[in-house]
Amino acid sequence: MAPSADVARNGYGNIQNAGQSRYSTTFDITPAMVGHQFVLVSRYTDDAKNGEGNHIDYWYNNNVNLNNNQAWLDHFTQNGTTISASGWHADDASMIDSHHFIILWDLSKGREIARKEVTNVASPDINNVYGNILGANNARFTVDFNIDDQYAHDAMQLVSRYSNADNGEGNYSQVWLTNQYLNLYQNPSWMYQINYSQIQPSGPVGHNIGLGYEGIKTQLVKDRIGTGYQHNTYTTADAYRVMSVQRAHGLPATGWVDYNTWVALGLPADQWTSIDSYVAPLGAGAGASRQDHIEAMIRQAYQYMGKPWLAGCSSSPAYGVDCSGLVMQALYAGGINPTSCSSIYHGFPGNEWNSRNLFADPHFMNVSYNDRQRGDLVFYYQPRTHTIWHVAIYLGNNQVIESWPPRVMVQPIVNGQRNVIAGIRRVFA
């Protein structure tokens, strides 16, 4: 032990050995340690030989993880039948799995079509950031593949693998490189680009509720205080009822519903954020076709079949939705994240009529009624005013899936309730 007067001065002078308690030590990492997590234990013992006997331990909270694995593609390009790539892969497993392979995966056919062993080169820039990973100082690679003509237009992805076998099999650790692909189905640049990683919530997760708010959180609050109905706007009368609950629980009587008020109302604590954070999972992955994206969108819409129409709602299929709320979640499942609206902000004041935002959104393709196709968005005018008041998803055969009071249902594209079509917008080119 080394002197530690600072420890004694900083509030620990009442401990007997505080003035002589500093230490430093070093452990060499061995191959057998790779893939495991470690924690340091400081032990005082009366057994000087092997540290057993009578002892007192202190377990530190910070762990050392030898199972780190990070990778990135810098370039992934194709010129005819030649595919070139460069990037880096730092992996603790490289200490024991010394063969580094890059695997070319054909997403269109769902199988590997080539692999090459690469020789890594120095990567001090990677080591500066990921120096805690074994091999980060020698992680960069480049590789070229010459492929057969039959694969030239297929969607491609790379896998970076460290293996203990010279053919890339045996024991191995790998990363599917997802920041770049080749030949994926994609919309033209002026339209919304299709996401191939999960879309994240847009807006404040766990937001409070006040006057003018709608959405499923408002609906659940109104149900608890006995004022629930389908057009679920939070009113002054609701605020007064909430204030009574707040006073009864010793909370500030603001009339706003925050997390503490939500719980005081008897609503599940986890719903406070889970309702807001729900974004439909992607239903079509990398390598999917245009039709796959359309079907993913429609499948998500069907998850809400029979759920009630509720104003400003766009959360999980456990709850009701309104027309644009349904469309938003369907778009998310298809890989489209519209910036003109979001499922969270849909419940905020002034956002009920997000069908109007979607109709005016320049990132959807305007097509004629006679050219309508499955997966297109159908917009409707309110009779007399000619303002947009509804949106549905076209299924084909003159049928749409929509949320219209009282519930989500499949209906003819035109019927007696809403029969003035404003236009058709295409999501996938």
Side-chain angles (χ1 to χ4, degrees), residues 186-210:
Q186 189 54 272
N187 276 332
S189 59
W190 65 270
M191 295 180 69
Y192 281 115
Q193 297 298 283
I194 301 167
N195 290 269
Y196 286 99
S197 57
Q198 179 60 34
I199 295 170
Q200 299 303 309
S202 176
V205 174
H207 68 82
N208 297 342
I209 302 165

Side-chain angles (χ1 to χ4, degrees), residues 312-325:
C313 292
S314 183
S315 187
S316 79
Y319 311 105
V321 289
D322 67 7
C323 65
S324 49

Side-chain angles (χ1 to χ4, degrees), residues 6 21 78 95 137 139 156 159 176 185 188 199 272 277 302 399:
D6 58 324
S21 60
Q78 181 176 355
M95 183 176 186
N137 62 336
M156 301 286 182
V159 183
W176 289 76
Y185 167 73
I199 295 170
W272 180 250
S277 62
Y302 268 94
Q399 299 284 305

